[in-house]
Amino acid sequence: MTSAATRAGAASSDNVLHGVLLMMFGLLILSSTDGVVKYLSEFFSPLTVAFFRFAVQLAIILAIAPFQKRSWRSLLQETTLPLFCRGLLLAVGSVFIVFGLKYLPLTDATAIFFVQPVILVVLSAVFLKEKVGAKRWLAVLIGFAGVLVIMRPGTGVFQPASLLILAAAITFACYLMLTRKLSGQASQLAIQFATGFAGSLFILPIIFYAWLTGFGGDLVIADQEANFTLPTIFLLCLGGTGLFAHVLLVKAFERAPASVLAPINYVEIISATTIGYLVFNEIPDEFVWVGVGMLVCSGLILANAERKPSPS
């Protein structure tokens, strides 16, 4: 009996460890992807970058589907309106992020985006009628204060592009809230198909309009004599790496509790800062680090509240 319990405990610990490692690897890929997006903004318009993120994902899912004995028609039939809206929210948020990364340092953008868990608490309380106690509201206040410290509205260092990242955080929080509502209602293949389909369908007409009118910049915005070989390769790989990272995150949450994985999200700030410094020569100022510290405190309070389910 004791031996069986010991083996079960060891297996559970192994699952949690695997979940933590998958989460870290997925976040490292995502932060690297953000760095690639910022690099690509020197060669392509943000709309083009966002479109390829979803179009390539859609192409990959359609290529995988026959091996899963699925057709595009069956995936389309499984794509309900709420599932389509979920993908649409992710697409809108991605457009905000791509435009924001064009104008903001990578660390600043990543830090501002980390207000998303705080926004999710507010949305869950308002729309899902979840109980939010004193700890969670304290986390909300600290998190918002941290974002204000980073953005510094009303000062000369405030950048309007910060609002794009804040809008992306709000949109992504809505996306996660809808994900909770739709949990278990569709296959993973259909979920990824709906995301790629909704994103491509949303962004393509905007690109066509921008191409006709010149609104939002040309599709290619760099010097026409520049070498586009490497940027084009990165552009085509963007959807695949994003898809792979999100699959790793899903697998991580299957193996470890959300309360254990939540603090690991802040690994992305460390990796984004490293990439920003090494690739783009960006050095965050002291206000950014103070704001990041407040956001980390907010996230740890939320993680502790999730670990001890109670009204607080």
Side-chain angles (χ1 to χ4, degrees):
M1 181 83 68
T2 303
S3 177
T6 301
R7 285 197 299 271
S12 177
S13 297
D14 286 344
N15 276 338
V16 171
L17 177 60
H18 291 159
V20 168
L21 293 176
L22 288 170
M23 186 77 172
M24 292 182 68
F25 191 34
L27 290 174
L28 288 173
I29 294 175
L30 283 180
S31 58
S32 300
T33 300
D34 287 341
V36 171
V37 166
K38 187 169 180 62
Y39 164 73
L40 289 175
S41 68
E42 299 177 8
F43 297 89
F44 303 99
S45 78
L47 288 173
T48 302
V49 175
F51 172 73
F52 272 88
R53 152 70 180 95
F54 291 95
V56 171
Q57 174 173 332
L58 180 61
I60 291 173
I61 296 301
L62 290 176
I64 292 174
F67 296 98
Q68 301 292 325
K69 297 182 179 179
R70 298 292 302 272
S71 67
W72 68 269
R73 288 187 180 86
S74 68
L75 292 173
L76 190 59
Q77 289 171 351
E78 197 177 346
T79 304
T80 61
L81 181 59
L83 202 59
F84 181 85
C85 290
R86 174 185 175 276
L88 194 60
L89 284 169
L90 186 59
V92 173
S94 296
V95 171
F96 286 142
I97 288 174
V98 173
F99 271 97
L101 284 172
K102 178 176 173 61
Y103 301 106
L104 283 178
L106 186 58
T107 304
D108 293 27
T110 303
I112 293 169
F113 186 77
F114 269 100
V115 76
Q116 167 265 312
V118 173
I119 296 171
L120 182 59
V121 171
V122 177
L123 293 177
S124 298
V126 175
F127 295 104
L128 299 183
K129 306 303 180 185
E130 293 183 359
K131 291 183 177 180
V132 179
K135 283 185 180 179
R136 290 183 174 89
W137 285 124
L138 175 62
V140 167
L141 292 175
I142 294 174
F144 276 123
V147 169
L148 290 177
V149 169
I150 296 169
M151 293 174 60
R152 281 164 281 174
T155 68
V157 298
F158 171 73
Q159 298 188 53
S162 300
L163 298 177
L164 292 171
I165 303 299
L166 188 59
I170 294 171
T171 307
F172 194 69
C174 294
Y175 158 83
L176 290 177
M177 184 178 65
L178 191 55
T179 298
R180 285 185 181 180
K181 293 282 288 184
L182 299 176
S183 178
Q185 295 185 21
S187 65
Q188 276 299 317
L189 202 64
I191 289 172
Q192 299 302 333
F193 169 82
T195 300
F197 178 61
S200 302
L201 197 63
F202 168 68
I203 300 172
L204 186 58
I206 301 176
I207 286 183
F208 187 66
Y209 174 78
W211 177 66
L212 286 177
T213 64
F215 174 78
D218 296 331
L219 295 185
V220 177
I221 59 176
D223 184 350
Q224 296 299 312
E225 296 180 359
N227 186 348
F228 281 86
T229 303
L230 187 60
T232 301
I233 293 173
F234 281 150
L235 185 67
L236 293 175
C237 292
L238 192 60
T241 53
L243 174 62
F244 181 54
H246 282 286
V247 168
L248 289 178
L249 297 185
V250 169
K251 294 297 183 183
F253 279 100
E254 288 176 355
R255 289 168 170 77
S259 58
V260 173
L261 297 178
I264 300 172
N265 277 280
Y266 297 101
V267 167
E268 196 171 353
I269 292 180
I270 299 172
S271 55
T273 303
T274 304
I275 293 170
Y277 175 72
L278 294 177
V279 179
F280 303 105
N281 197 29
E282 298 171 351
I283 303 176
D285 62 28
E286 62 275 13
F287 286 95
V288 172
W289 288 120
V290 171
V292 167
M294 296 173 73
L295 283 168
V296 170
C297 289
S298 172
L300 292 176
I301 292 172
L302 288 175
N304 182 66
E306 290 294 333
R307 186 176 288 111
K308 301 174 182 177
S310 71
S312 64

